[in-house]
Amino acid sequence: MPEEATSPASLAAVPSLSPWGPIKRPAFRMLWTVWLTANICMWMNDVAAAWMMTSMTSTPLWVALVQSASTLPVFLLGLPSGALADILDRRRYFIMTQFWVAGVATLLCIAVISGVMTPALLLALTFANGIGLAMRWPVFSAIVPELVPRSQLPAALALNGISMNASRIVGPLVAGALIASAGTEYVFVLNAVLSIISGFLIMRWRREHVPSPLGRERLLSAMRVGLQFVSQSTRLRAVLVRVSLFFLHSTALLALLPLVARGLQGGDAGTFTLLLACMGSGAIVAALFLPRLRQMMNRDTLVLRSVMLQSASTFAMALAPNAWVAVPAMVLNGMAWITCANALSVSAQLALPDWVRARGMSMYQMAIMGASALGAALWGQVATVTSVPTALLAAAVSGTVTMLLAQHWVRDLSIEEDLTPSREFKMPVTDAPPGVGRMVVTIEYLIEPTRADDFLKVMQQSRRSRLRQGALEWEVLRDVNQPGRFIEQIVDESWTEHLRRFDRVTASDVALRERKLAFHIGDGPPLVTRCVVEELARA
């Protein structure tokens, strides 16, 4: 039977606050299983590709470029992918992205079995697989909050972290066993089969897609609005800076790990697999203690201490002579990785309303993958010019120093906002829709001139709110003849895009309106005027 649909009634039930509570929800359980399988396939593919590259060339840069080829597409395509995930039927889009990954896995499998694989072709197919990952990740991130209530979102994200890190153990173990017993080509065969099965599992999910009465957003407009939202959110900007710095430096160890494994005493494919499995084990153990850690420390403290632990473990790996030293270092590295990544991921999710969630999370993932791709190439080049231990030592020191600087200079000064959707603002009604052209909306306030400075501080918040909702332009005008008369002017791309802003109003926006109205001293409410810009023919 098909998996049951996610219904409002099921989400309205009192949610379990257990770390495993989301698993009790059938739709989440099924898609979490798919995500686990997809992550196992990803790690199997990465391990096999990295190990195959070491068998074709010993140049550190070529080996590190496997990581870059896998992550760079997410940086390049993340924003359009996130926009598509917000404006299309997410179920169909998710299915399409999974079958893209399955198709690339099949091509890679054929290329290996037929014996035509070269370093350049391996990088090209790895890049194509990365395109599938770029399309798939934002839609899954946007789906998760649909499957669980807000109170269970941190637990759901932690379970996703467990999925990622369990796959970090299972994927490399399976890949290592197949490489050692049968050959690298069988890893790619299994990867193709599991990817196809995952696609059919997603098809069992039943989700009702409710199209907007205003129609679909245009792709370029949706991308612009997503960028505006992130640029006007101090919380998201702070998260993006921190996550970029973390992955820029932490990826050094992952990108160079095949070479580190070979350099250890008796190092081989089994050693490489063991080290990845230890990192995943450490992450799973740490995930069980994340709720307590979040209660003990604020986000910035938790992130900084995680980065310091990650740097210390990378330092240890640079100097490790054998697996006895490397194994505990990789366990600590995994604990630090999941703690930092989860703290930043939860902050990003809670700072995003549903209507722009996929776009916001796509930019979060772009920051991760862009930093990872750059970091892999950077530290691979450093290792080529100097040595692998030198590159790891430099990444360890630089990672802690840059995060300290970021927390000092890029601070999150915003308060927690209530992003619950609100229908408090009623859409305007006209006898006939205005013609094509930009909409100019003016709102006239009359205030006490002595309170102008306080009013303008509130209006600065209004500017961020309007632009986050998708307005093209915003400014405030002051009457030179009547000091207490202010006009808020908002420009929208069109009448339709003006109406979309009413669908994006949150409880925080309603509270902001009340703060603005508290300054108004006119006999009636502020006067609102809506005008369409007429395009005149030039003489």
Side-chain angles (χ1 to χ4, degrees):
M1 294 293 292
E3 193 71 29
E4 72 178 45
T6 305
S7 65
S10 66
L11 294 184
V14 177
S16 168
L17 297 182
S18 164
W20 307 102
I23 292 292
K24 298 178 181 179
R25 298 177 178 269
F28 179 86
R29 182 169 62 248
M30 183 196 71
L31 293 180
W32 184 83
T33 302
V34 169
W35 193 241
L36 174 62
T37 305
N39 286 330
I40 289 174
C41 290
M42 179 186 70
W43 279 106
M44 286 171 53
N45 185 80
D46 286 355
V47 168
W51 196 255
M52 176 170 283
M53 185 63 81
T54 63
S55 67
M56 291 188 290
T57 177
S58 60
T59 304
L61 181 59
W62 274 99
V63 177
L65 283 177
V66 174
Q67 181 79 4
S68 295
S70 177
T71 56
L72 188 59
V74 181
F75 176 73
L76 297 176
L77 303 175
L79 182 55
S81 175
L84 288 171
D86 273 332
I87 64 182
L88 298 178
D89 182 337
R90 287 175 177 170
R91 175 182 175 272
R92 292 183 178 181
Y93 187 61
F94 197 13
I95 292 171
M96 184 272 291
T97 61
Q98 181 58 38
F99 279 110
W100 172 285
V101 172
V104 173
T106 303
L107 290 176
L108 204 157
C109 175
I110 293 173
V112 173
I113 292 176
S114 61
V116 299
M117 184 62 71
T118 64
L121 180 58
L122 179 59
L123 287 180
L125 289 174
T126 302
F127 186 86
N129 184 67
I131 292 176
L133 299 179
M135 295 187 295
R136 186 176 65 186
W137 198 90
V139 66
F140 183 78
S141 297
I143 285 169
V144 171
E146 295 183 16
L147 306 176
V148 298
R150 184 181 177 88
S151 61
Q152 285 189 335
L153 184 57
L157 295 177
L159 286 171
N160 288 344
I162 289 177
S163 168
M164 172 63 77
N165 288 282
S167 67
R168 194 191 297 271
I169 299 173
V170 176
L173 283 175
V174 173
L178 284 176
I179 291 172
S181 61
T184 307
E185 61 272 18
Y186 286 94
V187 179
F188 295 116
V189 171
L190 181 58
N191 180 35
V193 171
L194 290 177
S195 296
I196 293 171
I197 292 174
S198 296
F200 284 107
L201 280 176
I202 298 172
M203 293 176 68
R204 299 180 63 238
W205 177 37
R206 294 294 176 260
R207 175 184 184 270
E208 182 181 356
H209 175 63
V210 181
S212 169
L214 299 174
R216 290 178 181 173
E217 291 182 74
R218 294 183 297 109
L219 179 60
L220 291 179
S221 178
M223 292 168 60
R224 173 188 64 81
V225 172
L227 283 169
Q228 277 187 202
F229 187 95
V230 172
S231 68
Q232 296 299 322
S233 172
T234 59
R235 172 157 290 120
L236 279 176
R237 290 203 307 269
V239 168
L240 292 181
V241 169
R242 285 158 174 74
V243 79
S244 297
L245 290 174
F246 177 69
F247 278 89
L248 176 68
H249 296 89
S250 65
T251 197
L253 181 56
L254 279 177
L256 298 172
L257 194 59
L259 299 175
V260 174
R262 282 189 181 274
L264 296 177
Q265 183 178 352
D268 55 14
T271 306
F272 178 46
T273 301
L274 173 65
L275 295 179
L276 282 175
C278 289
M279 184 177 182
S281 299
I284 292 175
V285 171
L288 300 178
F289 295 94
L290 285 176
R292 179 174 297 180
L293 290 174
R294 283 194 293 266
Q295 292 176 350
M296 294 171 56
M297 292 173 274
N298 61 36
R299 184 201 65 185
D300 281 355
T301 301
L302 191 58
V303 167
L304 181 58
R305 293 185 179 179
S306 301
V307 168
M308 294 174 69
L309 179 60
Q310 195 278 332
S311 294
S313 62
T314 300
F315 198 96
M317 287 297 296
L319 304 177
N322 51 50
W324 293 104
V325 177
V327 163
M330 289 302 292
V331 171
L332 292 176
N333 195 281
M335 296 174 69
W337 185 91
I338 189 63
T339 303
C340 184
N342 181 264
L344 294 172
S345 178
V346 170
S347 292
Q349 285 277 18
L350 295 181
L352 289 164
D354 290 338
W355 65 268
V356 75
R357 189 177 302 278
R359 279 165 280 188
M361 292 308 294
S362 73
M363 282 179 269
Y364 175 83
Q365 186 69 0
M366 285 171 63
I368 291 177
M369 293 304 186
S372 297
L374 177 60
L378 170 65
W379 302 116
Q381 182 61 29
V382 172
T384 301
V385 174
T386 57
S387 66
V388 171
T390 300
L392 294 179
L393 291 172
V397 174
S398 178
T400 297
V401 171
T402 54
M403 188 61 70
L404 282 169
L405 293 174
Q407 294 200 353
H408 178 74
W409 293 107
V410 187
R411 296 183 179 180
D412 176 9
L413 301 177
S414 63
I415 59 173
E416 191 72 29
E417 294 180 295
D418 185 353
L419 300 179
T420 305
S422 173
R423 297 294 178 182
E424 185 72 19
F425 294 2
K426 303 302 179 184
M427 285 191 181
V429 178
T430 59
D431 295 334
V436 177
R438 294 187 175 187
M439 291 295 305
V440 178
V441 182
T442 60
I443 307 173
E444 182 178 327
Y445 299 90
L446 297 175
I447 71 167
E448 291 288 349
T450 56
R451 304 185 66 193
D453 290 343
D454 292 334
F455 177 72
L456 290 175
K457 290 179 182 178
V458 175
M459 294 305 288
Q460 182 64 29
Q461 297 179 36
S462 182
R463 174 183 181 274
R464 286 195 293 268
S465 173
R466 307 290 193 189
L467 292 177
R468 283 190 303 182
Q469 291 169 356
L472 277 177
E473 301 172 13
W474 182 98
E475 56 188 352
V476 62
L477 311 176
R478 185 171 189 168
D479 193 326
V480 296
N481 295 317
Q482 189 177 350
R485 181 170 175 262
F486 288 84
I487 298 175
E488 182 181 13
Q489 180 173 289
I490 310 114
V491 179
D492 289 304
E493 188 176 334
S494 65
W495 175 251
T496 300
E497 295 305 312
H498 172 61
L499 296 182
R500 287 193 200 280
R501 288 202 292 109
F502 288 83
D503 283 338
R504 298 164 180 171
V505 172
T506 65
S508 179
D509 295 320
V510 175
L512 178 59
R513 182 188 65 171
E514 297 303 316
R515 293 176 62 192
K516 290 188 289 186
L517 291 179
F519 287 91
H520 184 63
I521 59 173
D523 294 334
L527 177 63
V528 180
T529 305
R530 295 179 174 88
C531 302
V532 62
V533 177
E534 293 288 350
E535 295 292 339
L536 301 179
R538 295 186 178 182

